[in-house]
Structure formats: structure tokens, C-alpha cells
Amino acid sequence: MYRVSDEQRRIRLGRRHLLAPSVRAASAVDVADAVVALHATDAATVYLSICARLADPGIGAVERALYEDVSLVRLLSMRNTLFTMSTDVAPAVDASSARPVAAKERQKFLRHLREDGNGLDERWLADTERQTLAALAARGRATGSELSAAVPALRTKITVFPGTKQETVQGVASRVIRVLAADGRLRRDLPRGSWTSSQFRWTAAEPWPASDAAEARAEVAGRWLRSYGPATEGDLKWWTGWGIRETRKALTAVGAEEVLLAGGAVGWAAPGDHATEPPPEPWAALLPGLDPSGMGWADRGFHLPADHRAALFDRAGNIGPTVWWNGGIVGGWAQRPDGELVWRLLSDIGREASLLIEAEAARLSAWTGDSRMTPRFRTPLERELTS
């Protein structure tokens, strides 16, 4: 069993996540493949994560991949979370994670319909879905409000959690659209506002062809190990949301090799991934909240000092905007209401690092221009910097 130090893991992160300047990518798809999938709960995260890793960052490159050639797609998948990935990765993620999530979403919605007590059932839902897809096909693309105006059934209201303290009345439009999107029958198109907006238009889509779930999990595990490994089975289980049995079977199927991590923890690496990688040139990065380099492991101890965590995470465990230096998180950043980018270092890293961080902040400001970015999941340090 070979050993992998924390320093070597940080070096691999800089190279394999395309954060060092010498390895930055030429395309948005290359970036997505390097990190397997990008968190997409916050619309701005996709752009910020990709452009931090592009040699020539810009909004247009990401928009073309998402909405013109559709080489990047969004799937409700790992941990019931929205991710963006390339069309090469999507079939495996769909079979390994998105299909089970879609089935649970449908069953949960049907349960709410039954509990409402007004006779709404599977047949009602199927008919409403057909009407919704027909209205969308007639328009090409539409917002949820436009679809509700065209399909009376979408204006139905139901009582959820009746008879409990959580009882409330909700419209069904967003739930019907969510189920259709989870099934892959429609997808998010251009947003109503700027690239930072989460108010999307919708357009028709075709579900991914069915494939074997176990084979798909092995493919996802192999891709994840090449991007995030060596790492523990607990890290993979957390990132995917699989059960422990599924995780172990996937590691076995892909031929993962046992390694010894710092502190004596047992980890796993992709087959043959033994080479010690030379450090790249010194590098700095300003990464957004929910960036994959901050959300790729359950145990982030190799790149996140324990005393930084309280400032950089919200109560639900979502990481906020972070400042990186040579593979470690050293601070956080934010954008003030007037557009100024500000940051605070939580580690003493010296003048060379500070100058590179300033250069990255200038690079970020240059391509974002007049845009305003407020993360959906706000953290203590981000709030403090903008107050």
C-alpha cells in the first residue's frame, strides 16, 4: 500500500481541477469533465466555477455550452442536488443518480396529491404533464408563468401536510415542472434575466437512454477518483449520495486501489494512479460558493484548516466563496453592493500570495463587469464582508 501526503493531494487538486494557470482549460466542457460535475443550485456558480478554470474566461463561452450547442446539461442527481455536467458524463450520472431521484420526486408529489383529498391522482398528473409538454412544444420555450397561463391544470392549488403544523396551500406548477425536468422531458433554457438569474425558461428535452445502474456507478466512481482521488469511500459515498454497499461495489468494479492517507486513513485511488506529481507554479484562485473543489469530499481536512470552517460554511454545510493558495483554502471573498470585490485572508501566506490573489480578483472583475453576485447560501464571512 503506498502513501499519499496531504501536500501531494493539494498538488493534484491544483492540476486536476485546472486551477493552476499552466493547466487552465480552453473550453467549458473541458472544465466540467475535469471536476466531473459542477454544482448548479446557484446559477452563478456554474459560470464562476468554469471561468476560474478557463485560460480565456467569459460569459459567452459558458452560455454557448449551456444553451446553444447544449454540450453542458443540468441534472437533478447526486444528493438530490442540481448539477451541471458534459453530455459525455450525463448518461452515467443519469443512470447512477438521477433516475432514483426522479422516481422519489414523482412518488413524493403523488403522495401530496393523494393527501390533498380532491381526487388528484396518477391519471390527473399524466394528463397535466401531456398538456404541459404540448404547450411547451407549441412555444419552443416558456417560463413557468407562461406555461401556467396556457395550461389550466397547472393553476391548481393543493394543501400539503394537511392537519399538521406545516400545513400550507401550494400551487402545483413548479412541482409538475420539477417532475418533468427530473425525468429529462424538459430542461432549463436561457434565464429571464442575466447569467446570475435562476428564473429560467424551459424547453423540451429527450430523456437519456436507460442503462445499467451498477455499470453507471462504476463509471462515475472511476471519473471521480481520477479527479478527486486518492480519497476515502466515505468521501465518494457523501459526494454521490449512494449507500455504502453501492459505493463499495462501485469501487470494486472500477478496480480502485487501496492507499494510505495522512493520519493513517485508508483511501482509494484510480487504478495505476501512483505517480507523484511535481508542484505546478504558485497559484491563487477565487472560487464561488458550492465550487466542486470545496464540495468534493466529506473530509476536507487536507485543504481546509479546521479553524476556517465556521467562517466559510453555512449551517447546512454549504461552502461560501473562498480564496485559495496552492491547493489550500486561506480565506473568503465577497462582492459588495457597489460591485467592489473584497476578501479576507484567514491564513498568513506572505506577499507573493497576496499579489497573486489581487491578480485573480482583477481577472474576475474583468470578465464579470457590472454583474452583481450574491451567493444563494450565505456564510458568516461573506455577510461580514458585504455589511
Side-chain angles (χ1 to χ4, degrees), residues 40-68:
T41 306
D42 190 331
T45 293
V46 176
Y47 289 81
L48 293 166
S49 290
I50 289 175
C51 287
R53 297 165 167 85
L54 286 180
D56 184 18
I59 296 167
V62 185
E63 285 191 337
R64 284 191 295 274
L66 285 169
Y67 306 121
E68 293 181 24

